[in-house]
Amino acid sequence: MSKYYIFQDVKRCIGCFSCESHCKTKNNLPIGPRFCQIIPVGPKQVKNLPRMANIFIPCFHCENPWCVSACPTGAMQKRPKDGIVFVDQMLCVGCKSCITACPWGTPQWNPETGTAVKCDYCMDRVDQGLKPACVTKCVTQCLHFGEASAKTKTTRERFARAIAEL
Amino acid sequence: MKESVFSICGMCGVRCPIRVEVKDGIVKWIEGNPNDLAMAGRLCAKGSAGLAMEYDYERPHHPLIRKGKRGEGEWEKASWDEALDYITGKLKPIIDEFGGKAVALSDRSGPFRDIHRSFLKAIGSPNYFNHDCTCGRNVQHASISLFGSGRKTFNYDYKRCKHLVLFGRNVFESLKVKAANTIMELLDRGGKLTYIDVRASNTAMKATRFWMVRPGTDYALNLGIIHTVLRDNLYDAEFVNRWVVGLRELESFVTPYTPEWASQETGVSSKEIIEFTHEVAQDKPAVIFHPGWMKARYLNSFYSSRTAYILNALMGSFEAPGGLFFQKGPGDVGKNGLKVLLDSIPKPKDKRVDGCGWKYKHFESGPGLLHLLYPAILSEDPYPVKAYIVFRHDPLLSLPDAEAQKNALDKLDLIVAIDSNYSETGWYADVLLPSATYLEKSSILRTEKGLKPRFGMRRQAIEPRNEAKPDWWIFKQLAERLGVGEYFKFEGMEDFWKFQLEGTDVTLADFDEKGFVSLADEPIWWDRMTDLKFKTPSKKIEFVSSLLEENGIPSFKPYESPKKPESGSFRLAFGRCPVHTHGQTQNNPVLHEIMPENTLWINTEEAERMGISDGDRVVVTSSNGGHSGTIHAKVTEFIHPEVVFMVHGFGRKIPWQTRGYNKGLGDYRFETGLLNVYDPAGGANALLECFVKVKKAD
């Protein structure tokens, strides 16, 4: 697993799809490939109130990525320094093995280039000390980029605020 | 070369502060202006999709002059000189024969209007209109009737609010980035959010209380709540005694409107209404009853907005932290405001053609009421109108009954559309002028009122693509060709900015650091018991409104129950989603991909009765049978059985917009016979007085 992680604070997510638009425009993608996607689930009646889940699905940047193992040309790679999984567009021949292999539907087909493309956590931004586009511009700042421990911290902080009698 | 430009977004009417990154003349990145801590990089889907809009081929490239019949789509490319000469060649004889008043202009309102309003005033026309008859007019007039000034007098302190009450104000889909965040903070703090609507929108998904009411009964609900507040003595007596005129009259008016009665109308139990009222009163004055924004809905929407405002007054929430605060301007912090070109031009001698301000004195004359232009064109009463300039506005898509509108428009000698996108109205025009996008032009400086007033700047990031020109250039050209160029001497926006800043202690260089200039270091709060500035004749909050009463409009209107649909018929409601701006973005490549078409929400039990399953194609037909179309059904228990709903703006008919063309259905096409159906007190169109028939498609 890459050392990075995007944590979606679902309580703050309003299902505005801005992350998708930030991603598409940052990566200059044509209609078709979506590096991240919000999948709305619901609504359902929960404790007498309508509730909906908007699930954010980027690439998980696995420790042992199915897509990397499946790639016959070495285009799909895991970056040694931080574990970000990305496609070297020069090496991709468009065989789609990664699309078949990934259990999460992450690699996408770019009809304009005839290659596989995928979320690389905007690694050009990460290398400049910035965050991925989806996180940087998230309307309610429900997306957090950082190391996996960030999630536990956010969750604990919220729980603390909820039980504090102040 | 890479550069960073602070500017103002133009993808919707919220106009958020942005930062634009440009490399070698190409926009690479747009984010919320990080210098504005309430933005801090945040941007909505539409904001980022500004990039996709900018580089989309399917928008106007050069001036076009119509060749075939209106709306046929036969166009001829023209140079700017040809197009402008064509326009002024038509305008001159109209102005000579009928006067400047025979030219009307409408826009989408906002802070960047000075130059085109000045153009209209300079040629002697009082007939400026904006889109607000299909938006906030009822709220505006409700505010004027109570406080003597419009709805933008106030803003909402969501950050400290303890209980926010929203009547269909869908804050998480009709997005304002800053407000959505502060409301999230309210919820994070454990604040309450009561949401009332005919369906469970995304805002309902976050609410702490959701009431699905019968359509058109907000007013009944408010009357029941006011009844409870007064009966149980839950109001802020000190505030009300100091600031309110007409409490006794209100009390006597609401006597019959008990919570039990309101329950019958709305479907919300009287027990819940009473519990809610006591709960909200406990949190006063840090409570907000949002008076609404787009309330061009029902025949009584003026009164539902007015009673929401009244509830704020009863809760004493004006100028209280967590309530409604007065937006302060430069004058309130001892500074001079921006200079206005419009002030230097003599007022046209003629009255408005729509009667606003003279025949209808309770309707503000400023932007008038666009729906009243159509009957005036047809009747030529009080005088003829012969030309209409539509500037980044699309009445055929926003006002009801396009066919009725076209019937009036066909009497005009000239229709000019100025827009950076194709619009249904532009497609029906005689001349279509491509205006530069918000990324391609600078706009006039704006005043941003608030607790800390500011001046803001939209600065050009890139050169216009193709042959688009900034709107200020277009109107300056037209003015010069019509012999009123004396008012438009400025060379460009920088020149105009210098004029605007004359007399202020702000210079252009002051905008470089952040993109805006703050006029106060600390938030300004007035003393809510001594310093509130109500502009009514009594200088108080007029529950009994002198303005309304003088014009024969009741301050409190006896409640009339909204019409119930006949069997197989439904009231058609429409609204927003978070990825599209009204009818402007359906063809945007990125936004289209996220939401390519709309669906028809229909109540589960009603659908079952009609044999409709989720995802089925259904046929929707207007009440007069004149328009019909098919759409996928979204069968849900989260919509009231009397109503069906679709997201606004789809069903587009401009073939040059290949992505949005014919996708989904347009609510506006079903609003037959409603062009001149409006709230007589508030003036706004009653767009939801629309009934449609629904059946499963064969």
Side-chain angles (χ1 to χ4, degrees):
Chain A
M1 177 105 182
S2 92
K3 69 179 203 186
Y4 301 117
Y5 172 63
I6 293 177
F7 163 52
Q8 182 199 16
D9 184 351
V10 287
K11 271 196 129 173
R12 275 188 81 93
C13 179
I14 55 173
C16 73
F17 299 95
S18 67
C19 45
E20 291 193 26
S21 178
H22 304 329
C23 173
K24 294 278 305 198
T25 50
K26 148 56 177 78
N27 293 299
N28 202 15
L29 294 171
I31 291 178
R34 294 159 107 153
F35 290 180
C36 66
Q37 200 165 351
I38 288 282
I39 307 289
V41 182
K44 272 190 170 177
Q45 201 78 257
V46 179
K47 290 183 195 160
N48 224 15
L49 281 167
R51 287 293 178 258
M52 185 139 176
N54 294 290
I55 307 299
F56 174 74
I57 309 181
C59 173
F60 302 132
H61 299 268
C62 309
E63 180 63 25
N64 289 306
W66 283 261
C67 57
V68 173
S69 312
C71 179
T73 67
M76 189 69 81
Q77 304 169 32
K78 191 173 148 192
R79 207 158 77 148
K81 72 170 178 182
D82 52 16
I84 289 178
V85 179
F86 70 101
V87 189
D88 182 339
Q89 289 294 309
M90 298 297 286
L91 297 177
C92 179
V93 295
C95 74
K96 310 175 191 68
S97 302
C98 54
I99 295 177
T100 310
C102 176
W104 326 112
T106 295
Q108 301 280 302
W109 182 248
N110 185 336
E112 284 191 354
T113 57
T115 56
V117 286
K118 71 176 284 297
C119 162
D120 62 2
Y121 279 158
C122 295
M123 64 183 183
D124 56 323
R125 289 180 59 81
V126 172
D127 289 343
Q128 296 171 61
L130 301 168
K131 293 174 178 172
C134 57
V135 175
T136 306
K137 300 197 270 180
C138 170
V139 164
T140 59
Q141 295 188 335
C142 78
L143 295 179
H144 300 265
F145 180 71
E147 303 197 6
S149 56
K151 179 201 183 313
T152 52
K153 186 165 174 278
T154 311
T155 309
R156 279 177 172 162
E157 280 173 0
R158 171 177 303 123
F159 179 63
R161 276 198 304 274
I163 60 166
E165 289 177 2
L166 285 175
Chain B
M1 203 185 76
K2 202 171 164 182
E3 53 184 326
S4 174
V5 182
F6 296 119
S7 191
I8 294 171
C9 186
M11 289 299 285
C12 84
V14 178
R15 301 179 184 86
C16 292
I18 53 172
R19 189 180 75 87
V20 184
E21 272 178 30
V22 180
K23 198 178 169 208
D24 302 325
I26 306 283
V27 179
K28 293 290 179 186
W29 173 262
I30 308 172
E31 66 181 9
N33 186 341
N35 297 316
D36 185 328
L37 297 180
M39 294 301 296
R42 302 165 172 127
L43 199 62
C44 75
K46 295 158 279 179
S48 271
L51 257 160
M53 177 276 300
E54 182 61 45
Y55 297 105
D56 184 14
Y57 178 81
E58 295 185 356
R59 59 184 187 88
H61 296 233
H62 37 68
L64 293 171
I65 297 176
R66 177 174 62 84
K67 279 292 142 209
K69 286 185 188 155
R70 278 186 181 150
E72 257 185 357
E74 295 289 320
W75 297 95
E76 191 161 79
K77 183 180 171 181
S79 69
W80 275 99
D81 269 337
E82 285 165 349
L84 293 168
D85 284 345
Y86 180 91
I87 294 168
T88 46
K90 293 261 186 185
L91 283 179
K92 270 182 194 156
I94 292 172
I95 294 171
D96 287 347
E97 187 178 347
F98 302 100
K101 62 180 184 296
V103 182
L105 182 149
S106 75
D107 68 10
R108 225 175 258 135
S109 73
F112 303 129
R113 295 181 290 171
D114 193 21
I115 291 172
H116 58 268
R117 287 193 72 179
S118 294
F119 160 77
L120 196 67
K121 198 174 176 187
I123 62 169
S125 174
N127 293 316
Y128 164 74
F129 297 88
N130 69 18
H131 79 294
D132 211 37
C133 67
T134 55
C135 190
R137 270 299 98 176
N138 284 331
V139 186
Q140 175 76 359
H141 286 134
S143 177
I144 291 172
S145 78
L146 284 157
F147 315 111
S149 58
R151 66 188 181 91
K152 288 176 186 165
T153 306
F154 309 103
N155 210 332
Y156 310 96
D157 186 19
Y158 299 125
K159 214 170 194 165
R160 277 161 281 203
C161 178
K162 292 181 182 162
H163 197 149
L164 171 62
V165 187
L166 302 170
F167 302 86
R169 169 80 194 104
N170 185 6
V171 290
F172 294 137
E173 294 192 270
S174 295
L175 266 183
K176 296 176 95 174
V177 170
K178 293 183 184 183
N181 271 282
T182 44
I183 295 168
M184 264 299 145
E185 283 171 35
L186 175 157
L187 290 169
D188 274 354
R189 276 190 291 103
K192 301 180 194 86
L193 170 56
T194 293
Y195 184 72
I196 299 140
D197 202 342
V198 299
R199 67 174 185 120
S201 69
N202 279 7
T203 304
M205 302 303 157
K206 298 289 177 189
T208 55
R209 175 189 279 105
F210 170 56
W211 283 339
M212 190 153 75
V213 292
R214 203 186 143 221
T217 63
D218 290 0
Y219 182 39
L221 182 63
N222 286 353
L223 292 175
I225 296 169
I226 293 173
H227 177 104
T228 312
V229 167
L230 297 177
R231 183 191 67 189
D232 299 351
N233 215 6
L234 300 171
Y235 62 96
D236 183 334
E238 195 192 1
F239 184 88
V240 169
N241 291 340
R242 170 67 185 84
W243 291 113
V244 164
V245 177
L247 181 69
R248 194 170 301 162
E249 289 85 344
L250 175 70
E251 201 159 11
S252 112
F253 173 72
V254 298
T255 304
Y257 300 118
T258 61
E260 292 72 26
W261 168 85
S263 172
Q264 296 287 317
E265 276 301 312
T266 60
V268 180
S269 78
S270 56
K271 181 169 166 282
E272 281 182 282
I273 295 173
I274 294 165
E275 272 173 15
F276 159 81
T277 310
H278 281 257
E279 187 185 303
V280 84
Q282 272 180 7
D283 286 329
K284 72 175 182 294
V287 299
I288 297 167
F289 283 84
H290 199 297
W293 184 350
M294 190 293 193
K295 289 277 263 185
R297 296 176 193 271
Y298 303 99
L299 288 166
N300 64 7
S301 287
F302 169 83
Y303 290 99
S304 62
S305 182
R306 194 168 194 272
T307 43
Y309 272 127
I310 285 176
L311 277 161
N312 289 308
L314 293 172
M315 295 293 121
S317 42
F318 289 94
E319 207 64 6
L324 288 78
F325 60 82
F326 279 76
Q327 301 216 76
K328 281 80 182 182
D332 298 313
V333 294
K335 304 268 172 92
N336 285 335
L338 297 172
K339 277 184 77 174
V340 179
L341 179 61
L342 200 65
D343 294 346
S344 68
I345 300 168
K347 197 173 176 222
K349 58 182 193 313
D350 299 291
K351 293 171 177 170
R352 293 189 59 93
V353 73
D354 58 4
C356 292
W358 59 279
K359 190 171 169 191
Y360 309 110
K361 285 192 178 142
H362 60 300
F363 294 150
E364 210 183 15
S365 62
L369 291 170
L370 183 58
H371 59 76
L372 293 177
L373 173 64
Y374 295 92
I377 292 173
L378 287 170
S379 65
E380 304 199 346
D381 177 24
Y383 52 76
V385 168
K386 294 288 175 186
Y388 180 23
I389 301 172
V390 198
F391 173 45
R392 50 179 300 282
H393 182 205
D394 197 358
L396 288 181
L397 179 140
S398 48
L399 270 73
D401 206 336
E403 295 314 311
Q405 288 184 64
K406 286 175 184 172
N407 191 29
L409 295 178
D410 285 346
K411 271 198 77 176
L412 298 176
D413 295 340
L414 180 69
I415 307 170
V416 178
I418 304 172
D419 211 325
S420 48
N421 278 306
Y422 296 121
S423 68
E424 300 289 322
T425 311
W427 199 246
Y428 202 71
D430 304 325
V431 186
L432 178 53
L433 300 178
S435 63
T437 67
Y438 66 99
L439 295 164
E440 298 168 342
K441 70 178 179 192
S442 291
S443 295
I444 63 171
L445 297 174
R446 73 173 177 189
T447 304
E448 300 170 13
K449 290 185 172 186
L451 288 172
K452 290 202 284 185
R454 314 193 303 201
F455 293 144
M457 179 186 276
R458 172 183 282 160
R459 194 193 286 268
Q460 181 178 356
I462 53 167
E463 288 301 313
R465 299 184 67 232
N466 309 305
E467 291 177 36
K469 294 281 187 190
D471 45 275
W472 61 261
W473 181 90
I474 298 171
F475 286 104
K476 182 174 149 69
Q477 286 288 322
L478 288 174
E480 285 168 359
R481 281 160 202 261
L482 291 170
V484 290
E486 66 199 89
Y487 300 111
F488 303 86
K489 293 267 195 246
F490 54 93
E491 290 298 317
M493 262 308 103
E494 243 185 77
D495 217 18
F496 196 83
W497 290 341
K498 284 179 192 156
F499 155 76
Q500 287 184 284
L501 289 172
E502 278 171 21
T504 69
D505 52 8
V506 175
T507 66
L508 280 185
D510 296 341
F511 290 87
D512 292 348
E513 190 194 343
K514 294 182 170 176
F516 54 86
V517 176
S518 288
L519 303 178
D521 296 328
E522 294 299 322
I524 316 282
W525 290 92
W526 292 334
D527 186 315
R528 60 193 276 275
M529 295 313 293
T530 56
D531 295 341
L532 301 190
K533 292 171 188 166
F534 297 113
K535 296 196 172 138
T536 48
S538 61
K539 308 279 182 230
K540 293 190 174 185
I541 302 172
E542 295 190 351
F543 284 5
V544 175
S545 158
S546 43
L547 177 72
L548 293 179
E549 301 289 333
E550 278 164 21
N551 290 288
I553 308 279
S555 296
F556 312 114
K557 183 179 142 181
Y559 182 79
E560 287 170 48
S561 193
K563 200 169 135 188
K564 282 200 176 176
E566 293 160 13
S567 175
S569 251
F570 299 86
R571 196 182 281 269
L572 176 63
F574 66 87
R576 299 281 303 276
C577 71
V579 298
H580 285 295
T581 304
H582 306 292
Q584 299 156 46
T585 56
Q586 278 69 16
N587 200 53
N588 180 293
V590 166
L591 302 176
H592 163 80
E593 182 177 37
I594 299 173
M595 184 177 180
E597 61 180 85
N598 54 359
T599 58
L600 188 80
W601 290 40
I602 184 165
N603 177 272
T604 310
E605 282 178 26
E606 294 291 319
E608 271 172 17
R609 204 170 46 74
M610 299 163 76
I612 297 167
S613 306
D614 191 45
D616 278 356
R617 299 286 292 177
V618 293
V619 180
V620 186
T621 307
S622 62
S623 59
N624 71 354
H627 182 70
S628 101
T630 58
I631 187 169
H632 288 286
K634 175 187 161 113
V635 176
T636 170
E637 64 185 291
F638 297 100
I639 185 164
H640 194 278
E642 283 186 22
V643 66
V644 289
F645 168 87
M646 60 176 74
V647 170
H648 175 64
F650 287 84
R652 306 303 296 275
K653 301 288 184 196
I654 300 160
W656 291 358
Q657 293 182 315
T658 59
R659 291 173 293 267
Y661 185 65
N662 259 341
K663 297 276 165 42
L665 291 181
D667 51 287
Y668 45 96
R669 297 189 195 281
F670 295 95
E671 292 160 358
T672 48
L674 292 179
L675 181 56
N676 295 112
V677 175
Y678 63 99
D679 185 321
N685 286 87
L687 300 173
L688 269 61
E689 297 295 348
C690 173
F691 293 87
V692 291
K693 294 187 180 74
V694 179
K695 64 170 191 178
K696 192 172 170 175
D698 297 329

